[in-house]
Amino acid sequence: MDFSGVFPALTTPFAADGSVSLSDLKHNILLYNKTDLAGYVALGSTGESVLLTQTEMEGVLITVKENAAKEKKLIAGCGAESTAATIERVKRAAEIGYHVALVKTPYYYKPIYKAEAQIAHFRRVADASPIPVMLYSVPIFTGVALDPSDVATLSEHPNIMGIKDSSGNIPALAEMIAITPPGFQILVGSAATVYPSLTIGARGAILALACALPEKCAALYQLYRHGQLELAREMQNVLVRASKTFMSEMGIAGIKFVMDQRGYSGGDPRLPLLPLEEWHKKRIIGVLASVEPAAVGACSS
Amino acid sequence: MDFSGVFPALTTPFAADGSVSLSDLKHNILLYNKTDLAGYVALGSTGESVLLTQTEMEGVLITVKENAAKEKKLIAGCGAESTAATIERVKRAAEIGYHVALVKTPYYYKPIYKAEAQIAHFRRVADASPIPVMLYSVPIFTGVALDPSDVATLSEHPNIMGIKDSSGNIPALAEMIAITPPGFQILVGSAATVYPSLTIGARGAILALACALPEKCAALYQLYRHGQLELAREMQNVLVRASKTFMSEMGIAGIKFVMDQRGYSGGDPRLPLLPLEEWHKKRIIGVLASVEPAAVGACSS
Amino acid sequence: MDFSGVFPALTTPFAADGSVSLSDLKHNILLYNKTDLAGYVALGSTGESVLLTQTEMEGVLITVKENAAKEKKLIAGCGAESTAATIERVKRAAEIGYHVALVKTPYYYKPIYKAEAQIAHFRRVADASPIPVMLYSVPIFTGVALDPSDVATLSEHPNIMGIKDSSGNIPALAEMIAITPPGFQILVGSAATVYPSLTIGARGAILALACALPEKCAALYQLYRHGQLELAREMQNVLVRASKTFMSEMGIAGIKFVMDQRGYSGGDPRLPLLPLEEWHKKRIIGVLASVEPAAVGACSS
Amino acid sequence: MDFSGVFPALTTPFAADGSVSLSDLKHNILLYNKTDLAGYVALGSTGESVLLTQTEMEGVLITVKENAAKEKKLIAGCGAESTAATIERVKRAAEIGYHVALVKTPYYYKPIYKAEAQIAHFRRVADASPIPVMLYSVPIFTGVALDPSDVATLSEHPNIMGIKDSSGNIPALAEMIAITPPGFQILVGSAATVYPSLTIGARGAILALACALPEKCAALYQLYRHGQLELAREMQNVLVRASKTFMSEMGIAGIKFVMDQRGYSGGDPRLPLLPLEEWHKKRIIGVLASVEPAAVGACSS
């Protein structure tokens, strides 16, 4: 199965009482179904998965699966700190009907986890998983980056199909692409690197920004695919600016606020993530106004 | 309540089938009860708490409480990523009978958690907690270090009684001591800094090494307290070497192996933490032989 | 003047007695003159400039200038720690006939140098310089990275013409390109990022690797310029592997040894940089054999 | 020769025209001669040595030597990036009459300088030096920290007498003390760690702060030596606060401004180091007022 294209790292909407709002999540999915997004990633970092209970995670997985359009590819965030807990999550995701399990590096005991520990962990998970495993390296949150040579080692496992590399480290990405087999699917995780990553052989991207600006993110990929490189570069520039403000500066609360402005259900994040202050919102609205007019139109809802 | 002295950050023993062995945990506690350790820390980082299920954590908390000698002070590791989950754990620890809740900094979204988020989190937890809260800053694992000035701000909360600072950063510790009230209890978390930290005003230490060498760790504190500074310094030198090999190089598996050598129930850690290899064990046995003869005798069991 | 294309960051050859060998430098320049390299950078980091005396630096500047073919653009590394010393070097480079002065960030007092200090330094140097200034950000050596917004501020100075950004940080590069004027010339400094950087708007690159593999480095640029993107990507993959071994693993001594293998004058670096050991050389020869056959032929000498 | 005690890392005063003011330097030395400072360090990091010309450095070395009281021990900062240049400086310092050469780690090519390179550099310098060599590890500026085990290796060289460790890393310092011979003299470089470092076996300290508050810095050492530990701890607390504001926040300009307030010749630093702004000065004066009353009196001039 080919995972080329752009996937949103879905946010998790919360109701006024702080509980997960599955109806708001459904609302978002139904809107995204109308776009060129290649599929969905449930329970990624942007989904505040580390702040959810097991029951809440189950609800999110089922809701996304039930409401996704048939052609959308489904990726479930399954990473847990222990190998056993990760395997449990991977199996449950497979039962619900996900196509791929996204498994992040264990990270708490980072000075103790040498490369052998990471490799052994991923092999055990991949051995036990009913569905293909996508590695997930996200050092900005975990403090752990998978080394290209370790990714190459893991790419030989028949049930490891690719990686989401959110490092933003293009020299390492270039090396990874050069030393893994052509069938190993590499996606990136930061909006600011999508276009240059595509040009060196990445398949696509999993983006927080695609929750708020799905058409533009998907359009960047389509422009690239159809050889409209000048337009692709312009769109990339737009997304760089948007991503800097909405995500790098404001975090998940920023992405959710932009979603609210554009007809999606965003809302506040869960504590200890703080809601935005008024000046944050004003700043976002200003940047959004400068970004909106770019090539692809507003949300079709 | 005064938390001066040395506390072990208890390891969690596992049975051959990988489940938590509460009987082995009880065995260790009964041995530790005969030492000068000031009390126990259950579910700290050394306890592999991030690798345990909620049920397993509950079992550990109860077992430690039920077997601890009366005079031992009890500290429960309660940190979770979400504020709500942390509050639940703190309440449960209070019900079981712990004296203090050790709450680590949230850390997954580290670039998003500014000081305000950390302060708001700790205040909410302290407001809701039936027992006093001890802050926990352990950047080696979390990538997040509480700033001395933020600790000073939090020290004003009536239900925040102190901090376990595992940073090993003595300049920051010195500043923290200088700007917090005298009643704010500061413990350190690395064996290599115990003695110098005591000399500048820390109350004591919570140590992984104290699971394996409880008499020596406790002796260091007693020597300092009784003004035997030269002997204290020598003991500190012994612990520096032991800690370097057993913990910094070998990790939790190293501490557990030393425990096995000395009559405690150590065993292997849980995956993805790897068991030791043979050369690790030989190296540890060699260093242990050079450390054992120091001033205080072997395990009394 | 347009600085598009690939420039070698020239190495400095030393004679057997440890002195700078200007004749060997001349030998290299005469060979490079026959290639598609856009020009030369003298006294960059690869040139071991921080290990040279003032007299030696003068000799290098003059030798490069005198032997460079007419069409080659000349860039002089002029960075010094003090603003006054930097200005002196810039003026001397202009006198000798260099087109552009490459000025790296001051870096020794990195915790004290805030953005204001960097901006003030570059403005003073640019004010005083008879030739245009190219900023130089090389955090791998200096520990200091120029922030895109500060580069944008400096790009407004009429005598600051561009930047050599050796950070390898493509998200930051993308932002920099998006917020600086179109005439601001951005070159990158690591072989592993040349192609993706070109695709998002960089003008070219200044590369250590171009001292050893000038034809291949220059060919990558030409392939990109002529829209042969598939071939460009393949060449990029070759350079990624070469750069990893020759430069990232082996350092300047590695580049110089490859030069020796290919008809240039490489030689050993100056102490405290150590010469290669035999196993290093074997490893390099192995990688070189796999790299040589790529599209563009061997050194024409 | 015993280098116990507190040494100031001398600042370099500049005249109104930006040149080095040797008369102001003499003024400071004559005042320091009346204090309990153990000696002087010329051309350290605080002395802005990386911003001076060779001629200026020579002037500083001679002026300090000529004006120092007989009993003061003299240490010359001799570190340069190249091994050869370092050896030249060491020889010149010996000729002028310095007792010890302080040699910092080479640092520009930090990813290339492995431990072997550092060890080879220091051995070569020590072999060639007419006076004993003191290692200098100052990672805050260089990005390079000498590992305790490498220091232990170097401590076996007969002409390497000790180290100035400015890392502030007390666990590493404790290890270093534990594994080097008793005669190896270890001094620390940050005011915030003086007292705890003394308690674990450091001989003393080389401090920027001692330029501005020489009596207090020297008093801390004397109090410790005479067993007045409670007073020493109080003095340490005072110096922690002073150092935080004057040096960590304000840098060399901060130390120089405090010098101006207390009868010494401070003045502005050299560009690119920026002079203080008015609000900096007000903040320093406020902190100074709270620090002044501590135990030891004001400057005796």
Side-chain angles (χ1 to χ4, degrees):
Chain A
M1 192 179 274
D2 181 14
F3 284 76
S4 297
V6 171
F7 297 75
L10 295 170
T11 58
T12 300
F14 298 104
D17 66 357
S19 64
V20 171
S21 172
L22 296 177
S23 60
D24 282 331
L25 179 58
K26 177 178 174 178
H27 167 78
N28 293 341
I29 298 292
L30 295 181
L31 289 175
Y32 296 148
N33 279 342
K34 302 179 198 165
T35 69
D36 279 342
L37 293 170
Y40 306 120
V41 175
L43 301 179
S45 297
T46 315
E48 300 176 59
S49 51
V50 295
L51 303 176
L52 302 183
T53 66
Q54 204 164 332
T55 312
E56 289 172 333
M57 288 195 274
E58 175 94 5
V60 167
L61 283 184
I62 291 171
T63 300
V64 172
K65 164 65 186 170
E66 283 180 349
N67 292 286
K70 286 239 170 87
E71 72 279 9
K72 301 298 185 189
K73 284 140 196 166
L74 298 181
I75 302 174
C78 295
E81 191 69 25
S82 90
T83 305
T86 304
I87 289 173
E88 268 185 38
R89 287 197 195 171
V90 164
K91 288 184 173 169
R92 186 65 190 123
E95 278 172 12
I96 294 173
Y98 281 75
H99 302 111
V100 157
L102 181 66
V103 178
K104 78 183 147 203
T105 56
Y107 56 94
Y108 189 70
Y109 299 109
K110 51 185 75 59
I112 312 181
Y113 295 143
K114 313 292 183 209
E116 308 89 82
Q118 296 286 354
I119 288 172
H121 173 77
F122 281 114
R123 282 182 175 156
R124 278 195 178 83
V125 172
D127 285 346
S129 174
I131 51 177
V133 165
M134 181 184 284
L135 312 173
Y136 182 18
S137 178
V138 57
I140 193 172
F141 292 142
T142 63
V144 172
L146 281 176
D147 192 78
S149 65
D150 297 327
V151 173
T153 299
L154 287 167
S155 72
E156 293 165 13
H157 192 291
N159 205 28
I160 296 180
M161 52 70 72
I163 184 170
K164 175 186 179 190
D165 179 359
S166 294
S167 69
N169 183 340
I170 296 284
L173 187 77
E175 189 190 344
M176 202 183 288
I177 291 169
I179 65 178
T180 52
F184 188 74
Q185 305 194 39
I186 298 180
L187 287 85
V188 295
S190 67
T193 55
V194 175
Y195 179 68
S197 300
L198 289 171
T199 67
I200 58 169
R203 298 281 182 110
I206 298 174
L207 303 176
L209 191 65
C211 296
L213 301 176
E215 311 86 354
K216 287 187 170 59
C217 293
L220 169 57
Y221 177 77
Q222 298 300 337
L223 290 168
Y224 172 76
R225 268 299 177 212
H226 294 92
Q228 298 184 274
L229 301 189
E230 200 49 47
L231 288 175
R233 192 149 75 192
E234 281 171 25
M235 184 60 81
Q236 174 68 58
N237 274 353
V238 168
L239 297 186
V240 164
R241 274 182 293 130
S243 173
K244 178 88 190 302
T245 306
F246 303 162
M247 189 63 198
S248 304
E249 293 174 13
M250 307 289 177
I252 294 170
I255 291 291
K256 287 183 150 183
F257 181 70
V258 180
M259 290 174 68
D260 284 330
Q261 306 310 299
R262 303 192 70 249
Y264 304 102
S265 290
D268 285 336
R270 181 170 275 187
L271 293 168
L273 289 171
L274 296 178
L276 297 183
E277 294 176 33
E278 281 311 308
W279 73 267
H280 292 135
K281 295 182 180 176
K282 279 189 192 138
R283 176 150 161 66
I284 287 178
I285 288 171
V287 173
L288 186 56
S290 79
V291 160
E292 279 284 6
V296 176
C299 166
S300 51
S301 70
Chain B
M1 193 180 275
D2 181 14
F3 283 76
S4 297
V6 171
F7 297 74
L10 296 170
T11 59
T12 300
F14 297 104
D17 66 356
S19 64
V20 171
S21 172
L22 297 178
S23 60
D24 281 332
L25 180 56
K26 177 177 173 178
H27 168 78
N28 292 341
I29 297 292
L30 295 181
L31 289 176
Y32 296 149
N33 279 341
K34 303 178 197 165
T35 69
D36 279 343
L37 292 170
Y40 304 121
V41 175
L43 301 180
S45 297
T46 314
E48 300 176 59
S49 52
V50 295
L51 302 176
L52 303 183
T53 66
Q54 204 164 333
T55 311
E56 289 172 331
M57 288 196 274
E58 174 94 5
V60 167
L61 284 185
I62 290 171
T63 300
V64 172
K65 164 64 187 170
E66 283 180 349
N67 293 286
K70 287 241 169 85
E71 72 279 9
K72 301 297 187 190
K73 283 140 195 168
L74 298 180
I75 302 174
C78 295
E81 191 69 24
S82 91
T83 306
T86 303
I87 289 173
E88 268 185 39
R89 287 197 195 171
V90 163
K91 287 184 172 169
R92 187 63 191 124
E95 278 172 14
I96 294 173
Y98 280 75
H99 302 112
V100 156
L102 182 66
V103 177
K104 79 184 145 203
T105 56
Y107 56 93
Y108 189 71
Y109 298 109
K110 52 184 73 60
I112 312 179
Y113 295 142
K114 312 293 184 208
E116 308 88 82
Q118 295 286 355
I119 289 171
H121 173 77
F122 281 114
R123 282 181 174 157
R124 276 194 180 84
V125 173
D127 285 347
S129 174
I131 50 176
V133 165
M134 181 184 283
L135 311 174
Y136 183 17
S137 177
V138 57
I140 193 172
F141 292 142
T142 63
V144 171
L146 282 176
D147 192 77
S149 65
D150 297 327
V151 173
T153 300
L154 287 167
S155 72
E156 293 166 13
H157 192 289
N159 205 28
I160 296 180
M161 53 70 71
I163 185 170
K164 175 185 179 191
D165 178 0
S166 295
S167 69
N169 183 340
I170 296 284
L173 186 78
E175 188 190 344
M176 202 182 288
I177 291 169
I179 65 179
T180 52
F184 189 74
Q185 305 195 38
I186 298 180
L187 288 85
V188 295
S190 66
T193 54
V194 175
Y195 179 67
S197 300
L198 290 172
T199 67
I200 58 169
R203 299 280 182 112
I206 297 173
L207 302 176
L209 190 65
C211 296
L213 301 176
E215 312 85 355
K216 287 189 170 59
C217 293
L220 169 56
Y221 178 76
Q222 297 301 336
L223 290 169
Y224 172 75
R225 267 301 177 211
H226 294 91
Q228 298 184 273
L229 301 189
E230 199 49 46
L231 288 174
R233 192 149 75 192
E234 280 171 26
M235 182 60 80
Q236 173 69 58
N237 274 354
V238 168
L239 298 186
V240 164
R241 274 183 292 130
S243 173
K244 178 86 189 303
T245 305
F246 303 161
M247 189 65 199
S248 303
E249 293 174 13
M250 308 290 178
I252 293 170
I255 290 293
K256 286 183 152 183
F257 180 70
V258 180
M259 290 174 67
D260 284 330
Q261 305 310 300
R262 304 194 69 251
Y264 305 102
S265 291
D268 285 335
R270 182 169 274 187
L271 293 168
L273 288 172
L274 295 178
L276 296 184
E277 296 175 32
E278 282 312 308
W279 72 268
H280 292 135
K281 294 181 181 177
K282 280 189 191 138
R283 177 152 160 67
I284 286 179
I285 287 170
V287 174
L288 187 56
S290 79
V291 159
E292 277 285 4
V296 176
C299 166
S300 52
S301 70
Chain C
M1 193 179 275
D2 181 15
F3 284 75
S4 297
V6 171
F7 297 74
L10 296 170
T11 58
T12 301
F14 298 104
D17 66 356
S19 65
V20 171
S21 170
L22 296 179
S23 60
D24 282 330
L25 179 57
K26 177 176 173 180
H27 168 78
N28 293 340
I29 297 292
L30 295 182
L31 289 175
Y32 296 148
N33 279 342
K34 303 177 198 166
T35 69
D36 279 343
L37 292 170
Y40 305 121
V41 175
L43 301 181
S45 297
T46 313
E48 302 177 57
S49 51
V50 295
L51 303 176
L52 302 183
T53 65
Q54 204 164 332
T55 311
E56 290 172 332
M57 288 196 274
E58 175 95 3
V60 167
L61 283 185
I62 289 171
T63 301
V64 172
K65 164 65 186 169
E66 284 181 349
N67 293 286
K70 285 239 172 87
E71 72 278 10
K72 303 296 186 189
K73 285 140 194 167
L74 298 181
I75 303 174
C78 296
E81 191 68 24
S82 91
T83 305
T86 303
I87 289 172
E88 268 184 41
R89 288 199 195 170
V90 164
K91 287 184 173 169
R92 185 65 189 123
E95 278 172 13
I96 295 174
Y98 281 76
H99 303 111
V100 156
L102 182 65
V103 178
K104 77 184 149 203
T105 56
Y107 57 93
Y108 189 71
Y109 299 107
K110 50 184 76 59
I112 311 179
Y113 294 143
K114 312 293 184 207
E116 307 88 81
Q118 295 286 355
I119 289 173
H121 173 77
F122 281 114
R123 282 181 174 156
R124 276 195 180 83
V125 173
D127 285 346
S129 175
I131 51 176
V133 165
M134 181 184 284
L135 311 174
Y136 183 18
S137 177
V138 57
I140 195 173
F141 291 142
T142 62
V144 172
L146 281 176
D147 192 76
S149 65
D150 297 328
V151 173
T153 299
L154 287 167
S155 72
E156 292 165 14
H157 191 290
N159 205 28
I160 296 180
M161 54 70 72
I163 184 171
K164 175 185 179 192
D165 178 1
S166 294
S167 70
N169 183 341
I170 296 285
L173 186 77
E175 188 189 342
M176 202 183 287
I177 292 169
I179 64 179
T180 51
F184 188 74
Q185 305 193 40
I186 298 179
L187 287 86
V188 296
S190 66
T193 55
V194 175
Y195 179 67
S197 300
L198 289 171
T199 67
I200 58 170
R203 298 280 181 113
I206 297 173
L207 302 176
L209 191 64
C211 296
L213 302 175
E215 313 85 353
K216 286 188 171 58
C217 294
L220 170 56
Y221 178 77
Q222 297 300 337
L223 290 169
Y224 172 75
R225 268 296 177 214
H226 295 91
Q228 297 183 274
L229 300 189
E230 200 49 46
L231 287 174
R233 192 149 73 193
E234 280 171 25
M235 184 59 81
Q236 173 69 60
N237 274 353
V238 168
L239 298 186
V240 163
R241 273 182 292 131
S243 171
K244 179 85 189 303
T245 304
F246 304 161
M247 188 64 198
S248 304
E249 294 175 13
M250 307 289 178
I252 293 169
I255 290 293
K256 286 183 152 184
F257 180 70
V258 180
M259 290 175 67
D260 283 330
Q261 305 310 299
R262 304 193 70 250
Y264 304 102
S265 291
D268 286 334
R270 181 169 277 187
L271 292 169
L273 289 171
L274 295 178
L276 296 184
E277 297 176 30
E278 282 310 309
W279 72 267
H280 292 136
K281 294 182 180 176
K282 280 189 190 139
R283 178 153 159 64
I284 286 179
I285 288 170
V287 173
L288 186 57
S290 80
V291 160
E292 278 285 7
V296 176
C299 168
S300 50
S301 71
Chain D
M1 192 179 276
D2 180 15
F3 284 75
S4 296
V6 171
F7 298 74
L10 295 170
T11 58
T12 300
F14 298 104
D17 66 357
S19 64
V20 171
S21 171
L22 296 178
S23 60
D24 282 330
L25 179 57
K26 176 177 175 179
H27 167 78
N28 293 340
I29 297 292
L30 295 181
L31 288 174
Y32 296 148
N33 279 342
K34 304 178 198 165
T35 69
D36 280 342
L37 293 169
Y40 305 121
V41 176
L43 300 180
S45 298
T46 314
E48 301 176 59
S49 51
V50 296
L51 303 176
L52 303 183
T53 66
Q54 205 164 331
T55 312
E56 290 172 331
M57 288 195 275
E58 174 95 4
V60 166
L61 284 184
I62 291 171
T63 301
V64 172
K65 164 65 186 169
E66 284 181 349
N67 293 285
K70 286 238 170 90
E71 73 278 10
K72 302 296 185 189
K73 284 140 196 166
L74 297 182
I75 303 174
C78 295
E81 191 67 24
S82 90
T83 305
T86 304
I87 289 173
E88 268 185 40
R89 288 199 195 169
V90 164
K91 288 184 173 170
R92 186 67 189 121
E95 279 172 12
I96 296 175
Y98 281 75
H99 302 110
V100 157
L102 182 67
V103 177
K104 77 183 148 203
T105 56
Y107 56 93
Y108 189 71
Y109 298 110
K110 49 185 77 61
I112 311 179
Y113 295 143
K114 312 294 184 208
E116 306 89 82
Q118 296 285 354
I119 288 172
H121 173 76
F122 281 113
R123 282 180 175 156
R124 277 195 179 82
V125 173
D127 285 347
S129 176
I131 49 176
V133 165
M134 181 184 284
L135 311 174
Y136 182 18
S137 178
V138 58
I140 194 171
F141 292 142
T142 63
V144 171
L146 281 177
D147 193 75
S149 65
D150 298 327
V151 173
T153 299
L154 288 167
S155 71
E156 293 165 14
H157 192 289
N159 205 27
I160 297 181
M161 53 71 71
I163 184 171
K164 175 185 179 190
D165 178 0
S166 295
S167 69
N169 182 342
I170 296 284
L173 186 77
E175 189 190 343
M176 201 183 288
I177 292 169
I179 64 179
T180 51
F184 189 73
Q185 305 194 39
I186 299 180
L187 286 85
V188 296
S190 67
T193 55
V194 176
Y195 180 68
S197 300
L198 289 172
T199 68
I200 58 169
R203 299 280 181 112
I206 297 173
L207 303 176
L209 191 65
C211 296
L213 302 175
E215 312 86 353
K216 286 187 171 59
C217 293
L220 169 57
Y221 178 77
Q222 298 301 337
L223 290 168
Y224 172 76
R225 269 297 177 214
H226 294 90
Q228 298 182 275
L229 302 188
E230 199 49 46
L231 287 175
R233 192 149 75 193
E234 279 171 27
M235 183 60 81
Q236 173 69 59
N237 274 354
V238 168
L239 298 186
V240 164
R241 273 182 291 130
S243 172
K244 178 86 190 301
T245 305
F246 303 161
M247 188 64 196
S248 304
E249 294 175 13
M250 308 290 177
I252 293 169
I255 290 293
K256 287 184 151 182
F257 180 70
V258 180
M259 290 174 68
D260 284 330
Q261 305 311 299
R262 303 193 69 250
Y264 305 103
S265 290
D268 284 335
R270 181 170 276 187
L271 292 168
L273 289 172
L274 296 178
L276 297 183
E277 296 176 31
E278 282 311 309
W279 72 268
H280 292 136
K281 295 181 180 176
K282 279 188 191 141
R283 178 152 160 64
I284 287 178
I285 288 170
V287 173
L288 186 56
S290 80
V291 159
E292 279 283 8
V296 177
C299 167
S300 50
S301 71

